[in-house]
Amino acid sequence: MKGAISVRAMLGGGKHDYVRMARPLLRSFDANRFQVHVEDMAQSPEGRHAVLVASDDPVTAAHAAHLRDFVRSGGGLVLLHGTLAAWSPSSAIRELAGWVPSGPGPLTELIVRPDPDHPVTQRLDPEWKVRDELYLSEGPPLDATVLLRTSWRYTEQVVAYERPYGAGRFVYLGLGHEPSTYQDPNFHKLVGRLLMLAAGRQAAEPVGVGLVGYGAIGREHAMSITATSGLRLAGVCDLSVERRAAAARDWSVRVHAHQDEMLMDPEVGLVVVGTPPSAHADPVLAALKAGKHVVCEKPFGLHVEEVDRMIDAAASRGLVLTVFQSRRWDPDYLAMRDVARSGRIGEPFYLESFIGGHDHPCDFWHSHEPISGGTIYDWGSHYFDWILQLFPGAVQTVTALAHKRVWHDVTNADQVRVDLTFAGGAQATFLQSDIAAARKPKWYLLGTQGAVVGDWVDEPVPSDFPARVKVFRASGEELLKLAPRDQHGFYRNLADHLAWGEPLAVNAEDARRTVAVMEAATQSIARGGVQIKVEI
C-alpha cells in the first residue's frame, strides 16, 4: 500500500447534521491510510487525492465546475447521502454523476446487498440492515458499476455506484441519514475503500496461502481460506504422506514434504504455521526470512523471548505477522465485550472465567506439557486474549496454582487457576479444570452499575456452543440475543488488511501480552504459587 491519501472533507448542515454525524467517522480513519482535512466549500481541492462531500447545501456553479475539472484531471469525488440530490440542479454535477436521484423515500430499515465480486465490496456482509433514507432512480449511467443494491417495493434500487470520468472517478453512496449508519462497520469500511478507489488506489492482488501442517486445524484453515475472497490456497506442507495425500485430494493443491520447497514457491505469499506450540518459532522465522506474511496458530509461543524474535523479524522486513485468535469472533464473547464497552454496567472491575468439566483429557499433544506448554496454554490462549481485550490496562501481578490429582497418564495439570491484577485495581481469574464435577459460569463479570454472566448451555460438549449471556442491572435482567458466528471472520479481516490496509484485528503485540501472562503464570506455579510482579 502506498502512502496516505490526502482527503478534503466538506461537511454541511441543513436537513441533516452531517458535521455531527460524519466527523467521528473521519477522525477514526487510520492516519497511515488517510490524511483527512475538514474544509469549507470555498477552498480548492488542489493538492488532495480525493474529495468527500456530505451536504444539503446547494453548490455554486463555479464550485461545481471546479470539482468537475478536478475529477477530469485525475482526482476523485465521493458524494454521500443527500448531497447528489441537493447538487443535481448543477449541470456540472449532472455531467459528473450521469444520474439524478429523486426522493428520498421515508426513513425505514433497508436491507443492503453489496456486489460480492467488486474489490471494494468484497468481504462486506452479504447483506446488512441499516435504518436510512433511499434516494430513488431508474438507474445510473451505462458506464457505471453498481456497488450496493436494495429492494424497494418490488423493484431493485441502486444505493451506491462508481464511474470513471476523464482521468478520475466519481462515486455516489446514498446512505448517511442516521448517526447509526456512520457507526456501522460495513459503512465504515465502505467509505474508506471508496475514498481509496476515488484516489486511484486498487486493492492488492489475491494472496496465495501455504499451510505448514495439515492436521484437523489445517483443514479448518484451508476451509476458511478457500471461502474468503482475496485469498487462495496455494500449497500444503506436511511430514505425513497420508496428510499430504488428503490435502491434495481435498483441495487439488500442490503439496510438499519439506517447508523449504513451499517457501521457494512464488505463488505463496502468506504462510499459516499450524505446528504444535513448542515448534512455532522455527517455521515462522523461516517463512519471514523467505519474505512471506505469516499467520501463527495460537498460542503464539511458549516464551516471550521467541515471540520477540518473531516480531522483530517481521518488523525488519515490513511483513504481516498475526496469530490465529479465532475466538475473538465468538458471538457470546462479542456480546459480553460490547456490553462492557458500552457503559451499560458501568466500569468493569472484576471477572471470573471458567472452562472444564470432569472428563479424561485427550492423549494427543494437547495434553503433553513439553509440547503444548501445559494446561494454561490450551484454552488459556483464548481466555487471556479475551481478558486482555476487556481490561486493556497493564497487568501488574500474576499468581497461579495447579493441581495434579486424578489424570496421571498425561503430563498436563488436572486444574490451573490464574489470578491477575491490573493497573487501577481491576481483577480477573481464569480457572481450567478437568476435575470439576460442577461447572462454574463461563464468565462472571462485575461492573460498577451491573453485571454480565455467561452460563454454559446444557450440551455434551458445552464449549462447542455459545454461552447464554445475561445482563443484570438494578432495573432487572436481560438475556441477550446473539448474532450468528462469523465462521471466517479472522481471514476476512486478514484479507481486508492485505487488500486495503485496513486495521488488523489481531496484532502480534496483543498476542505477545497473552504469552507474557501465560509464561508468568507458569513461573508462579513452578514457585509454589508465588505472586509474580510484572508490567504487561
Side-chain angles (χ1 to χ4, degrees):
M1 195 64 66
K2 301 176 184 176
I5 291 170
S6 179
V7 177
R8 175 188 177 190
M10 298 186 297
L11 307 177
K15 176 185 175 183
H16 304 93
D17 189 356
Y18 292 117
V19 175
R20 177 179 62 87
M21 293 190 294
R23 193 183 286 268
L25 169 68
L26 300 178
R27 284 176 174 165
S28 71
F29 280 140
D30 182 0
N32 292 322
R33 293 201 300 151
F34 299 102
Q35 294 294 328
V36 180
H37 310 268
V38 180
E39 301 168 343
D40 60 38
M41 298 285 189
Q43 291 177 281
S44 168
E46 303 306 325
R48 309 297 186 211
H49 297 107
V51 175
L52 174 72
V53 188
S55 176
D56 292 324
D57 301 322
V59 64
T60 66
H63 190 64
H66 202 57
L67 286 173
R68 178 194 59 198
D69 295 342
F70 169 70
V71 176
R72 180 186 288 148
S73 63
L77 178 62
V78 180
L79 302 187
L80 297 183
H81 193 50
T83 311
L84 182 54
W87 286 12
S88 59
S90 163
S91 60
I93 297 301
R94 290 199 304 272
E95 183 181 332
L96 263 175
W99 187 55
V100 178
S102 63
L107 180 63
T108 189
E109 183 176 80
L110 301 171
I111 300 176
V112 181
R113 299 178 181 87
D115 178 355
D117 297 320
H118 195 287
V120 166
T121 45
Q122 282 183 338
R123 296 176 302 279
L124 297 180
D125 290 344
E127 62 179 38
W128 78 85
K129 295 178 180 179
V130 58
R131 182 173 168 80
D132 216 302
E133 297 172 325
L134 178 65
Y135 287 84
L136 306 172
S137 174
E138 293 181 359
L142 293 177
D143 63 347
T145 300
V146 177
L147 303 172
L148 300 180
R149 294 178 170 87
T150 192
S151 176
W152 181 260
R153 299 180 181 177
Y154 205 60
T155 66
E156 185 178 81
Q157 291 289 325
V158 172
V159 179
Y161 71 93
E162 55 96 357
R163 70 182 296 234
Y165 182 83
R169 193 167 298 272
F170 172 84
V171 181
Y172 168 72
L173 173 57
L175 300 175
H177 172 80
E178 294 273 279
S180 59
T181 300
Y182 294 86
Q183 298 161 12
D184 185 284
N186 286 292
F187 185 82
H188 188 286
K189 287 182 181 182
L190 186 58
V191 172
R193 295 178 190 181
L194 291 176
L195 287 171
M196 299 188 83
L197 178 73
R201 303 290 175 87
Q202 300 292 327
E205 291 295 318
V207 178
V209 183
L211 305 182
V212 177
Y214 193 69
I217 295 299
R219 289 185 179 89
E220 292 183 15
H221 284 288
M223 286 189 289
S224 278
I225 290 162
T226 55
T228 302
S229 59
L231 302 175
R232 56 184 179 81
L233 191 61
V236 173
C237 172
D238 200 295
L239 296 174
S240 164
V241 174
E242 292 79 10
R243 288 197 290 268
R244 290 200 302 274
R249 182 177 61 252
D250 292 344
W251 309 106
S252 299
V253 70
R254 187 180 303 171
V255 296
H256 307 270
H258 304 287
Q259 69 177 23
D260 290 346
E261 297 173 5
M262 190 174 73
L263 295 181
M264 289 189 294
D265 186 350
E267 293 296 310
V268 173
L270 168 72
V271 171
V272 179
V273 174
T275 55
S278 62
H280 281 174
D282 286 346
V284 167
L285 290 170
L288 293 170
K289 185 178 180 181
K292 316 296 185 182
H293 304 300
V294 175
V295 173
C296 181
E297 252 296 344
K298 68 86 187 171
F300 196 178
L302 304 185
H303 307 286
V304 171
E305 177 274 331
E306 63 185 356
V307 165
D308 285 341
R309 284 192 287 124
M310 291 185 274
I311 291 175
D312 290 345
S316 67
R317 294 170 173 85
L319 296 168
V320 174
L321 174 60
T322 184
V323 179
F324 192 61
Q325 295 287 173
S326 59
R327 295 266 174 186
R328 291 262 188 108
W329 285 265
D330 281 9
D332 50 355
Y333 160 69
L334 291 173
M336 176 179 65
R337 183 204 66 182
D338 291 347
V339 169
R341 291 180 179 179
S342 72
R344 289 177 60 191
I345 62 168
E347 180 186 359
F349 67 91
Y350 180 83
L351 173 70
E352 295 178 14
S353 60
F354 169 81
I355 180 76
H358 202 288
D359 301 295
H360 196 294
C362 72
D363 58 2
F364 196 40
W365 60 258
H366 292 272
S367 299
H368 189 43
E369 186 169 336
I371 298 176
S372 68
T375 306
I376 288 173
Y377 286 82
D378 188 13
W379 275 100
S381 298
H382 294 304
Y383 274 74
F384 291 119
D385 183 62
W386 287 332
I387 289 169
L388 295 177
Q389 294 297 305
L390 290 169
F391 298 98
V395 180
Q396 293 190 325
T397 67
V398 179
T399 308
L401 283 168
H403 292 269
K404 186 66 174 175
R405 296 176 179 272
V406 176
W407 312 120
H408 298 288
D409 59 323
V410 299
T411 56
N412 278 3
D414 294 344
Q415 176 176 297
V416 294
R417 171 176 165 149
V418 183
D419 294 290
L420 309 180
T421 62
F422 294 83
Q427 298 171 277
T429 296
F430 166 66
L431 175 64
Q432 179 171 347
S433 178
D434 289 323
I435 51 175
R439 292 186 172 94
K440 293 164 64 74
K442 186 175 184 178
W443 297 301
Y444 177 81
L445 175 64
L446 298 182
T448 53
Q449 298 177 26
V452 181
V453 176
D455 286 315
W456 297 102
V457 297
D458 186 16
E459 296 286 347
V461 185
S463 59
D464 287 345
F465 297 85
R468 290 187 298 270
V469 182
K470 285 187 177 180
V471 179
F472 295 82
R473 291 171 52 85
S475 57
E477 64 183 70
E478 176 190 1
L479 177 64
L480 298 183
K481 181 179 180 181
L482 304 184
R485 192 181 199 282
D486 184 351
Q487 297 292 340
H488 311 302
F490 176 88
Y491 279 107
R492 286 176 63 191
N493 169 257
L494 178 58
D496 290 341
H497 178 73
L498 294 171
W500 294 105
E502 292 173 8
L504 197 61
V506 184
N507 63 61
E509 291 295 338
D510 282 352
R512 181 192 187 276
R513 291 186 73 208
T514 299
V515 173
V517 167
M518 294 188 293
E519 186 172 26
T522 302
Q523 293 169 355
S524 177
I525 290 171
R527 295 167 60 182
V530 170
Q531 184 183 81
I532 306 293
K533 293 185 177 181
V534 295
E535 192 69 26
I536 299 172

